[in-house]
Amino acid sequence: MTSALSIPTDWVRVRAPGKVNLSLRAGPPGPDGYHPVVTVYQAVSLYEDIVATLDDGITVSVTLAGGQADTVPTDESNLAVRAARLLADHAGITDGAHLHIDKRVPVAGGMAGGSADAAGTLVALDELWGTGASRDDLLELAALLGADVPFALVGHTAVGTGRGDVLTPAMAVGEFHWVFAIAAEGLSTPEVFDTLDTLRAGDDVGPPDPEPDIDLMHALRTGDPHGLGAAVHNDLQGAAVHLRPALERTIATAHDAGALGVVVSGSGPTVAALGRNRAHAQVIAASLTLAGVAERVVTATAPVPGAQLIC
Ligand code: ATP
């Protein structure tokens, strides 16, 4: 008997989350040029929707949320196309697909939108093409596509080591209420890391402590937004503010609005502010909007699951 779930379909929709780094500590670059990091990721309810439809070849189109410049490539360099090609090679698939991405995560905003697209594409095409890949196969392919891609598959809250791609799930209780102040123009992740190295020149900086911050992990385990707000940290924040001095005003505005913690997300320039609860997050969002310190201000809850099929 054929169950309703196995009826073949020629399209699927997957939802994949953006992330905020609650803590990010980076060491000096190794011989391969990569900076070792110890980071605590949290997946947030700011989503990319990816609709994959059976088609000839592999193509992509993108709809951007309001205010974003048209900076997403639609050629072979798009991370979703790279993910599709990698999965097709891995599984020996000759079918094609069209991918449509409805982007809400800011482009080059330090919230891993491209990584979410890649993770979402792996999940979508695994289903659409029926590749039979295991979860571990998908995680291995994800790590080949970028340091943040495995986390976009896994979601929730996790500690990332190595380049951020070696994940250990972290326990988090309850729901946290975030506000994101999104800039009109992104920052290049390599440029932010280069600036970090320049700013640190002459300092004696070792590899990051492999144990994530005790206070931060305790706040997550106990669902304590005050503790979490006090513990957020990002080694890249100084470099992001150096490259984009206007961020100082955004950060100060969020503090003035009573945010429990304010941190640049990943390589920036998105600024993440933590509210006491949903209503307080709305108040912070209104203050940031009124101050005119961001192109777009959104609220989101966390943690949420990783890339998943929604139909
Ligand atoms: P990360 O923090 O993971 O380094 P980010 O969130 O700052 O990344 P992304 O939006 O993921 O930045 O993308 C950075 C750059 O990658 C963009 O400027 C764009 O040129 C390129 N890119 C390739 N594919 C995509 C995609 N699907 N979505 C967004 N950008 C993409």
Side-chain angles (χ1 to χ4, degrees):
M1 196 176 96
T2 310
S3 85
L5 283 177
S6 64
I7 292 171
T9 140
D10 63 358
W11 68 277
V12 294
R13 180 189 293 268
V14 165
R15 179 158 285 181
K19 57 83 179 164
V20 58
N21 300 80
L22 306 176
S23 167
L24 194 164
R25 299 191 187 271
D32 58 0
Y34 284 104
H35 294 73
V37 301
V38 176
T39 187
V40 183
Y41 294 108
Q42 188 158 68
V44 304
S45 66
L46 190 57
Y47 296 108
E48 306 279 82
D49 275 3
I50 299 119
V51 175
T53 312
L54 283 176
D55 203 353
D56 295 332
I58 292 173
T59 51
V60 67
S61 55
V62 180
T63 310
L64 292 156
Q68 288 192 73
D70 189 11
T71 49
V72 180
T74 50
D75 60 12
E76 292 293 312
S77 68
N78 188 294
L79 264 173
V81 175
R82 290 181 45 213
R85 296 236 177 265
L86 192 65
L87 181 63
D89 285 351
H90 169 84
I93 299 285
T94 51
D95 291 346
H98 177 72
L99 303 159
H100 182 76
I101 304 171
D102 195 359
K103 279 191 90 65
R104 297 186 201 92
V105 178
V107 178
M111 294 188 71
S115 301
D117 298 343
T121 297
L122 291 177
V123 172
L125 294 183
D126 172 44
E127 175 72 16
L128 189 70
W129 290 340
T131 71
S134 67
R135 191 75 184 158
D136 284 350
D137 289 341
L138 294 185
L139 276 169
E140 269 178 41
L141 297 178
L144 296 174
L145 290 161
D148 292 341
V149 184
F151 179 70
L153 267 185
V154 169
H156 301 282
T157 307
V159 178
T161 55
R163 293 162 50 195
D165 54 337
V166 182
L167 298 175
T168 310
M171 195 177 123
V173 165
E175 193 176 46
F176 296 96
H177 295 273
W178 290 99
V179 184
F180 295 103
I182 298 167
E185 210 185 319
L187 279 174
S188 143
T189 303
E191 198 183 340
V192 174
F193 273 104
D194 286 351
T195 305
L196 173 72
D197 296 338
T198 307
L199 294 174
R200 280 176 166 177
D203 295 353
D204 184 19
V205 180
D209 185 339
E211 286 302 315
D213 315 30
I214 291 173
D215 292 346
L216 189 141
M217 300 310 276
H218 182 259
L220 288 171
R221 276 198 307 275
T222 54
D224 169 17
H226 288 86
L228 179 61
V232 291
H233 171 85
N234 184 356
D235 276 357
L236 295 176
Q237 183 154 321
V241 173
H242 183 84
L243 289 167
R244 190 67 60 76
L247 290 181
E248 272 187 30
R249 236 190 102 214
T250 314
I251 293 167
T253 304
H255 277 300
D256 290 348
L260 302 178
V262 184
V263 71
V264 166
S265 182
S267 53
T270 305
V271 172
L274 184 63
R276 287 191 300 276
N277 49 40
R278 192 179 298 271
H280 185 219
Q282 300 286 0
V283 170
I284 299 167
S287 300
L288 288 162
T289 304
L290 277 175
V293 292
E295 175 73 19
R296 189 162 66 103
V297 180
V298 296
T299 56
T301 56
V304 297
Q308 59 181 348
L309 210 56
I310 51 173
C311 62

XYZ file of all heavy atoms in Angstrom, residues 19 48 71-73 77-80 101 103 105-115 117 148 187 189 266-268, ligand 1:
220
model
N 20.981 32.709 12.075
C 21.540 32.461 13.419
C 22.094 33.747 14.014
O 22.402 34.721 13.306
C 22.658 31.406 13.365
C 23.841 31.710 12.413
C 24.921 32.623 12.957
C 26.053 32.852 11.963
N 26.910 34.003 12.289
N 14.703 31.718 5.836
C 14.767 31.639 4.384
C 13.795 30.528 3.978
O 13.830 29.441 4.582
C 16.166 31.213 3.920
C 17.302 32.050 4.447
C 17.518 33.337 3.686
O 16.772 34.294 3.993
O 18.420 33.404 2.840
N 22.215 41.973 -4.023
C 23.618 41.560 -3.956
C 23.805 40.049 -3.947
O 24.894 39.579 -3.680
C 24.258 42.104 -2.663
O 23.392 41.784 -1.586
C 24.499 43.587 -2.718
N 22.730 39.334 -4.213
C 22.849 37.878 -4.169
C 23.074 37.352 -5.583
O 22.263 37.593 -6.472
C 21.578 37.245 -3.562
C 21.710 35.737 -3.516
C 21.336 37.798 -2.173
N 24.169 36.632 -5.810
C 24.410 36.119 -7.165
C 23.388 35.034 -7.513
O 22.927 34.303 -6.631
C 25.819 35.516 -7.054
C 25.983 35.179 -5.604
C 25.182 36.209 -4.850
N 27.886 30.641 -8.408
C 28.506 30.968 -7.116
C 27.478 31.039 -5.988
O 27.847 31.123 -4.816
C 29.274 32.293 -7.208
O 28.366 33.359 -7.387
N 26.185 31.022 -6.331
C 25.177 31.034 -5.266
C 25.333 29.757 -4.428
O 25.443 28.650 -4.960
C 23.771 31.112 -5.865
C 22.731 31.328 -4.783
O 22.502 30.474 -3.944
N 22.120 32.503 -4.793
N 25.347 29.949 -3.116
C 25.592 28.801 -2.224
C 24.539 27.700 -2.386
O 24.843 26.522 -2.186
C 25.620 29.274 -0.775
C 27.005 29.565 -0.205
C 26.868 30.191 1.182
C 27.808 28.262 -0.100
N 23.321 28.081 -2.737
C 22.266 27.077 -2.933
C 22.584 26.235 -4.176
O 22.402 25.003 -4.174
C 20.915 27.760 -3.073
N 14.419 31.186 -3.724
C 14.716 31.529 -2.329
C 13.991 32.818 -1.972
O 14.179 33.843 -2.630
C 16.237 31.725 -2.131
C 17.005 30.475 -2.576
C 16.546 32.050 -0.668
C 18.512 30.666 -2.627
N 14.199 35.371 0.623
C 15.202 35.718 1.647
C 14.657 36.719 2.650
O 14.178 37.782 2.277
C 16.437 36.368 0.988
C 17.405 35.396 0.395
C 18.719 36.082 0.017
C 19.693 36.047 1.153
N 20.141 34.707 1.506
N 16.641 36.687 5.843
C 17.886 36.893 6.593
C 18.717 37.915 5.806
O 18.820 37.817 4.577
C 18.662 35.557 6.727
C 19.975 35.751 7.463
C 17.801 34.511 7.430
N 19.287 38.919 6.498
C 20.017 39.946 5.753
C 21.208 39.376 4.979
O 21.857 38.445 5.445
C 20.492 40.905 6.847
C 20.396 40.152 8.129
C 19.290 39.159 7.944
N 21.454 39.964 3.799
C 22.578 39.513 2.970
C 23.872 40.072 3.559
O 23.943 41.266 3.881
C 22.396 39.999 1.512
C 23.583 39.564 0.656
C 21.090 39.461 0.935
N 24.876 39.205 3.695
C 26.183 39.597 4.270
C 25.979 40.324 5.600
O 26.644 41.313 5.901
C 26.974 40.459 3.292
N 25.048 39.805 6.405
C 24.698 40.461 7.667
C 25.238 39.775 8.903
O 24.912 40.169 10.022
N 26.034 38.715 8.726
C 26.563 37.998 9.889
C 25.537 37.055 10.513
O 25.707 36.588 11.632
N 24.456 36.765 9.762
C 23.424 35.853 10.274
C 23.317 34.581 9.434
O 22.366 33.808 9.577
C 22.074 36.563 10.342
C 22.066 37.702 11.364
S 20.424 38.385 11.596
C 19.601 37.066 12.490
N 24.316 34.389 8.566
C 24.451 33.129 7.817
C 23.260 32.818 6.908
O 22.820 31.669 6.821
C 24.731 31.974 8.773
N 22.771 33.825 6.206
C 21.652 33.597 5.282
C 22.042 32.675 4.137
O 21.280 31.773 3.767
N 23.201 32.889 3.564
C 23.658 32.020 2.465
C 23.818 30.588 2.946
O 23.485 29.633 2.237
N 24.297 30.423 4.166
C 24.464 29.080 4.734
C 23.099 28.427 4.937
O 22.934 27.223 4.705
C 25.194 29.162 6.084
O 26.454 29.752 5.906
N 20.510 28.998 3.121
C 20.057 28.603 1.774
C 20.692 27.281 1.356
O 20.037 26.422 0.758
C 20.423 29.687 0.748
C 19.745 31.015 1.053
O 18.766 31.020 1.825
O 20.214 32.052 0.538
N 29.333 27.640 8.557
C 28.050 27.827 9.246
C 26.946 26.911 8.713
O 25.829 26.914 9.235
C 27.557 29.276 9.083
C 28.439 30.281 9.826
O 29.194 29.862 10.728
O 28.362 31.479 9.486
N 28.716 43.440 5.445
C 30.173 43.444 5.630
C 30.691 42.108 5.111
O 30.045 41.080 5.266
C 30.535 43.586 7.115
C 30.510 44.982 7.737
C 30.760 44.891 9.248
C 31.548 45.897 7.093
N 32.804 38.910 5.404
C 33.355 38.127 6.529
C 34.896 38.079 6.469
O 35.549 38.331 7.499
C 32.745 36.710 6.533
O 31.322 36.852 6.607
C 33.234 35.891 7.710
N 27.889 37.534 14.552
C 28.924 37.003 13.662
C 29.862 38.101 13.200
O 30.390 38.874 13.997
N 30.037 38.197 11.883
C 30.941 39.216 11.341
C 30.212 40.537 11.092
O 30.802 41.455 10.502
C 31.587 38.693 10.061
O 30.586 38.257 9.168
N 28.958 40.641 11.558
C 28.220 41.888 11.426
C 27.793 42.126 9.987
O 28.026 41.311 9.110
P 28.576 34.367 7.238
O 28.290 35.046 8.539
O 28.100 32.921 7.166
O 29.965 34.544 6.712
P 26.811 36.302 6.123
O 25.549 35.942 6.809
O 27.527 37.502 6.628
O 27.735 35.051 6.109
P 25.679 35.748 3.542
O 24.416 36.519 3.339
O 25.534 34.313 3.881
O 26.566 36.521 4.604
O 26.538 35.852 2.198
C 27.754 36.521 2.024
C 28.025 36.693 0.530
O 27.899 35.434 -0.151
C 27.034 37.624 -0.153
O 27.520 38.927 -0.204
C 26.858 37.037 -1.539
O 27.663 37.701 -2.493
C 27.354 35.602 -1.457
N 26.268 34.595 -1.626
C 26.333 33.462 -2.326
N 25.193 32.766 -2.243
C 24.369 33.451 -1.448
C 23.048 33.219 -0.994
N 22.330 32.159 -1.330
N 22.530 34.142 -0.157
C 23.255 35.234 0.207
N 24.492 35.501 -0.237
C 25.070 34.613 -1.045
